[in-house]
Amino acid sequence: MAFSPDSSTPDETSTSRFCDHRHVVMAPFAGGTANKWNIESPLIDFIPGLSSCHIADFPRKLIESYNASDEFVRFILKAFSCVKKADWILVNSFYELESRVYDAMQMLGYPIYGIGPLMKMESESNSLGSECLDWLSQQKPASVIYVAFGSLAKLKTKDMESLALGLQASGLPFLWVIPLESISAMNNSGFASPNGFRDWIASLGLGFITSWAPQREVLGHSAVGAFVSHCGWNSVMESLCEAVPIVACPQGADQIGNARTIAEHLKVGVEIKREDDGSFTKESVQRAIKEIMKNEEARKRIAHLKQVIRDSTTWGSSYFNITKFIDYLFQLHCPCHS
């Protein structure tokens, strides 16, 4: 979020200017491989503060069909032009996670401050989702694979089938959050004929499916051993807060870069191997789950990050930054405040 106390043009009626901010957007790669998932793209190793990455790690819409008149591209460009004018850039992250990026951007004149993760550090009991929590309580510690793709990401039916078969092949218990429309699509596909997808899952004796779950409470449950996620940023933050390693299965937008960060830089997860068309197989799902469940180093790393988050949000960098911003707001509207 970018904030500036004054409008810079006479026709702006708002006294504050805000725009969402998460990632640096690169120019597109016109490589002629718009429909390929595993794009062979140039290595980017010259951006201050940013670890080496590939253009293919950035949002697909920008690298596949860049058009300056495209509504999405125009939105991104406008957002970043606002960022340049901001007095404060507040990010749902924390300094210790991306210190090189914060340092580099501040050296370039961007007033960027991490104030995250923006969520409660302790889980609270909730009557909603009690069935899945009761089911979790019947499982062994760190044995359950939690599967959820957020409220917007939707898997194709083919990928749903591969994921279901991969979970089955893992032999591990799993809790899978599936939207009702996706369950209907699976029923209509004939994959689980004749009794339907819910009954097929039940027949495995391994899984529990639900259309909604209290994610923070689920991730904080002792039975959960890994999180199969689309790697939306909120889900990533929640997983770090609860020290649950991630099996990354990004669908688009910033999720691809987030997944690379999780698997290659932070090393607190693995990514499901994809085919060129973006699909994945039963075998790739099974392999990724097996790898993360035996990866003790990833568990140590993410447990350390959980403690870093606690320190940052209590008396550390995020606490200091949000306190500083609140004090700035008081000074802005009440100069006598100190």
Side-chain angles (χ1 to χ4, degrees), residues 1 11 58 98 102 104 136 139 143 152 155 196 213 246 258 305 310 316 322-323 327:
M1 176 182 293
D11 58 340
F58 290 86
E98 306 172 283
Y102 286 105
L136 281 174
Q139 311 306 315
S143 66
L152 297 178
L155 292 181
I246 297 173
N258 295 344
L305 281 175
R310 286 186 177 275
I322 193 64
T323 301
D327 188 63

Side-chain angles (χ1 to χ4, degrees), residues 126-135 212 214:
N126 192 319
S127 59
L128 296 175
S130 60
E131 287 188 12
C132 62
L133 294 174
D134 289 343
W135 180 84
W212 183 86

Side-chain angles (χ1 to χ4, degrees), residues 6 36 59 66-67 70 79 89 105 118 122 141 199 214 241 259 270-272 294 313 317 335:
D6 300 305
K36 300 291 187 180
Y66 180 83
N67 185 336
D70 181 87
I89 304 172
M105 291 190 71
L118 296 176
E122 301 295 339
D199 285 350
C241 283
V270 298
E271 187 172 354
I272 294 175
K294 67 178 184 180
T313 53
S317 62

Side-chain angles (χ1 to χ4, degrees), residues 97-296:
L97 184 70
E98 306 172 283
S99 59
R100 290 174 56 195
V101 176
Y102 286 105
D103 290 343
M105 291 190 71
Q106 287 175 353
M107 287 184 65
L108 291 171
Y110 290 91
I112 184 169
Y113 302 93
I115 58 170
L118 296 176
M119 58 191 72
K120 293 182 179 179
M121 286 303 303
E122 301 295 339
S123 298
E124 294 182 351
S125 59
N126 192 319
S127 59
L128 296 175
S130 60
E131 287 188 12
C132 62
L133 294 174
D134 289 343
W135 180 84
L136 281 174
S137 296
Q138 300 171 30
Q139 311 306 315
K140 296 179 180 179
S143 66
V144 174
I145 309 300
Y146 173 55
V147 185
F149 286 80
S151 57
L152 297 178
K154 298 292 187 295
L155 292 181
K156 296 178 181 178
T157 301
K158 177 183 177 182
D159 291 333
M160 288 277 290
E161 294 176 2
S162 295
L163 183 53
L165 293 172
L167 289 166
Q168 177 190 24
S170 76
L172 295 170
F174 58 89
L175 169 60
W176 191 354
V177 179
I178 311 178
L180 294 176
E181 58 266 32
S182 295
I183 293 177
S184 297
M186 290 297 287
N187 290 337
N188 295 333
S189 72
F191 169 76
S193 296
N195 298 321
F197 190 61
R198 284 184 180 275
D199 285 350
W200 183 83
I201 292 290
S203 71
L204 300 179
L206 293 172
F208 185 97
I209 62 173
T210 178
S211 60
W212 183 86
Q215 184 155 291
R216 279 299 304 280
E217 290 184 77
V218 169
L219 289 171
H221 199 287
S222 61
V224 174
F227 180 18
V228 178
S229 172
H230 65 310
C231 290
W233 191 246
N234 286 337
S235 290
V236 169
M237 287 288 98
E238 289 175 337
S239 201
L240 295 182
C241 283
E242 299 298 346
V244 178
I246 297 173
V247 176
C249 189
Q251 300 301 298
D254 65 333
Q255 299 158 20
I256 300 169
N258 295 344
R260 301 291 191 274
T261 297
I262 288 296
E264 298 177 11
H265 300 301
L266 297 178
K267 300 185 187 303
V268 294
V270 298
E271 187 172 354
I272 294 175
K273 181 177 174 56
R274 310 292 271 270
E275 303 299 310
D276 281 350
D277 64 358
S279 65
F280 49 86
T281 65
K282 157 192 164 182
E283 290 76 17
S284 62
V285 173
Q286 180 186 12
R287 191 179 307 116
I289 290 174
K290 181 179 180 181
E291 181 179 346
I292 199 61
M293 291 300 281
K294 67 178 184 180
N295 192 333
E296 291 302 320

